[in-house]
Amino acid sequence: MSTVAKETMPDAQGHFGPYGGRFVPETLMHPLQELEDAWRRASSDLDFDHEFRYYLREFCGRPTSLYFAERLTRELGGAKIYLKREDLLHTGAHKINNAIGQILLAKRMGKTRIIAETGAGQHGVATATVAAMFGMKCVIYMGAVDCERQVLNVYRMKMLGAEVVPVHAGQKTLKEAVNEAMRDWVTNVRHTHYILGTAYGAHPYPVMVRNFQRVIGDEARRQIMEKEERVPDLLIACVGGGSNAIGLFYPFLEDQSVKMVGVEAGGEGIRPERHAARFQGGSLGVLQGTRSYILQDEHGQIQGTHSVSAGLDYAAVGPEHAWLHDEGRVEYTYATDDKALKAFQTLAKLEGIIPALESSHAIAECIVRAPKMRKDALIIVNLSGRGDKDVAQAAAKLGLQMPQ
Ligand SMILES: *Cc1c(COP(=O)(O)O)cnc(C)c1O
């Protein structure tokens, strides 16, 4: 077992071991430093903490419950399974935790315009929501392919008053949307804040987003101690950029008895361009501001990716996960599209909860692991979001017919 001294990570320049850092054009160095300064001041300001907790509680619906999945547990016949119900939050996923934190920072910095990238649209919706709430202008960049497969979220963002800009470059998904958002930021940085949606990008985003999301793990820890009077044996979370996973994992990193598994998108299997599992065939590289594990070819060209879930469909992973992987503190595996879709149905039918396709990847791994564990073992699965946005896509994949 590694001895991860989490309080020292990242270092002052945002490095998690060999990962992370700040790889951006010169014009963004100053705004990133300004953001870091504002975030550091806010982090030690009790008023900021008070305000952050106020909106999480009163607007978002925190704390979310740690729910005992009784029928799933019985069906699998092994470890006792708890679900951390981030799907119950306002706007339907954990993304709102970070969006609230960052808009409060933007307000403190005197910014009046908000931009963001989005994949599945959950982060776009969360950002459009907080921008509406604080009366700020909002522009969301979204890949044209993602606009198509997440049309419900496009309408939600528009209804919230945001401008949605479809991005037609390249693969027309998340990576291209991030490029466009960064281009916008360079141009409009004086009055614009970029609310990046995951524990990724140039320093301070990965550590800042982690700290806004650690509320998930802090709550889960308190709740499992209340219910079971001990820490769990296993934590499971899906990993896109890595924010819901690090949010759950971080407060448990120093509990050596707690095992952790991050689940990436296995897509149609581990073949070039057919998956988004960065720890299966990814290599060290720099993409969109940070150094991490990246899916790239031998010339350093970013490879295409595929996943049934837009929120996991990205060629790079957050730098803290890269480091936790190398340290051996967290294990990373993947679930294929088929397994995720099966888990999606299982949770709906056994527990009355339709999970996001992203979260279904974590459920799929739970279905593999729980039966092999003792009945007195405890698992917490992060249910990062609800599946309303995925219902039409899943129905098509599963061949559901309209009743005649
Ligand atoms: C965006 C999203 C993810 C993936 O992002 P992370 O930063 O890895 O958490 C996972 N689940 C849901 C529901 C999402 O909306």
Side-chain angles (χ1 to χ4, degrees):
M1 183 54 81
S2 72
T3 49
V4 172
K6 64 178 176 137
E7 295 307 336
T8 63
M9 285 292 161
D11 70 9
Q13 283 76 44
H15 298 108
F16 299 87
Y19 305 106
R22 189 178 277 171
F23 296 85
V24 292
E26 200 57 40
T27 39
L28 283 181
M29 287 309 247
H30 175 72
L32 284 166
Q33 191 56 50
E34 179 195 46
L35 174 62
E36 184 184 347
D37 295 344
W39 169 66
R40 288 202 188 282
R41 275 196 305 277
S43 300
S44 57
D45 180 345
L46 283 178
D47 287 341
F48 183 87
D49 189 62
H50 188 80
E51 209 180 357
F52 180 50
R53 310 237 161 239
Y54 171 83
Y55 287 108
L56 289 183
R57 186 178 67 243
E58 305 289 331
F59 185 71
C60 304
R62 299 211 76 92
T64 60
S65 69
L66 184 70
Y67 179 70
F68 173 43
E70 197 175 340
R71 290 192 70 212
L72 182 65
T73 297
R74 208 181 318 137
E75 173 82 11
L76 296 176
K80 201 166 171 184
I81 301 160
Y82 282 92
L83 305 174
K84 183 58 176 159
R85 298 288 310 274
E86 296 296 294
D87 62 309
L88 293 177
L89 286 172
H90 181 42
T91 70
H94 69 289
K95 298 270 177 13
I96 192 89
N97 302 325
N98 168 53
I100 291 276
Q102 286 200 45
I103 196 125
L104 290 175
L105 267 185
K107 205 175 67 158
R108 287 194 164 208
M109 288 187 288
K111 308 283 179 180
T112 55
R113 179 174 174 269
I114 297 295
I115 59 169
E117 86 296 341
T118 197
Q122 286 305 105
H123 176 57
V125 168
T127 301
T129 297
V130 298
M133 194 171 85
F134 285 96
M136 294 202 204
K137 255 214 191 92
C138 181
V139 178
I140 305 291
Y141 292 94
M142 187 170 186
V145 166
D146 290 338
C147 286
E148 235 166 79
R149 56 181 169 178
Q150 302 288 345
V151 70
L152 176 69
N153 276 342
V154 174
Y155 288 133
R156 288 168 85 196
M157 288 182 264
K158 288 182 180 239
M159 280 168 197
L160 290 160
E163 181 191 344
V164 180
V165 180
V167 179
H168 293 278
Q171 223 189 316
K172 306 179 192 191
T173 60
L174 183 56
K175 175 165 60 73
E176 291 78 19
V178 174
N179 281 340
E180 284 310 308
M182 286 176 80
R183 207 163 293 156
D184 180 317
W185 204 31
V186 169
T187 314
N188 301 301
V189 68
R190 281 213 356 260
H191 60 291
T192 297
H193 175 61
Y194 176 14
I195 301 191
L196 204 149
T198 186
Y200 193 79
H203 181 58
Y205 281 106
V207 57
M208 178 176 74
V209 175
R210 175 195 77 196
N211 284 8
F212 287 142
Q213 291 291 1
R214 67 169 287 173
V215 64
I216 303 170
D218 286 332
E219 274 177 22
R221 195 191 169 87
R222 203 178 64 236
Q223 290 165 319
I224 199 78
M225 294 307 284
E226 271 167 25
K227 289 174 199 285
E228 299 283 350
E229 294 174 350
R230 69 181 187 87
V231 290
D233 299 284
L234 179 64
L235 305 174
I236 307 176
C238 65
V239 182
S243 70
N244 88 89
I246 200 69
L248 176 66
F249 295 169
Y250 185 71
F252 293 95
L253 280 180
E254 286 176 352
D255 296 289
Q256 300 292 318
S257 68
V258 180
K259 290 202 166 64
M260 306 178 186
V261 185
V263 187
E264 299 183 281
E268 294 167 0
I270 307 304
R271 289 176 287 124
E273 319 249 314
R274 299 322 303 156
H275 69 99
R278 290 67 44 105
F279 292 117
Q280 316 286 327
S283 54
L284 188 64
V286 169
L287 180 64
Q288 295 179 327
T290 196
R291 182 188 280 130
S292 189
Y293 275 79
I294 293 169
L295 291 168
Q296 54 191 336
D297 67 17
E298 67 272 28
H299 309 294
Q301 291 296 312
I302 305 307
Q303 283 184 322
T305 51
H306 163 81
S307 170
V308 70
S309 67
L312 302 183
D313 201 350
Y314 186 60
V317 66
E320 190 163 12
H321 287 287
W323 179 65
L324 291 169
H325 169 269
D326 288 8
E327 288 289 304
R329 180 63 188 93
V330 178
E331 187 187 337
Y332 294 85
T333 184
Y334 62 90
T336 59
D337 288 355
D338 289 348
K339 292 276 160 57
L341 268 168
K342 239 185 216 134
F344 176 89
Q345 290 171 284
T346 301
L347 199 71
K349 288 189 175 149
L350 282 179
E351 294 292 345
I353 299 169
I354 300 178
L357 282 172
E358 290 82 7
S359 323
S360 301
H361 286 69
I363 301 290
E365 183 62 16
C366 178
I367 290 172
V368 172
R369 300 233 177 189
K372 299 178 191 157
M373 294 167 70
R374 294 160 46 118
K375 278 190 196 274
D376 59 358
L378 301 174
I379 300 179
I380 296 177
V381 182
N382 204 11
L383 204 63
S384 52
R386 70 178 85 126
D388 305 30
K389 68 184 173 60
D390 300 314
V391 162
Q393 195 197 353
K397 288 245 177 222
L398 298 168
L400 299 193
Q401 303 289 328
M402 275 301 179
Q404 296 300 317

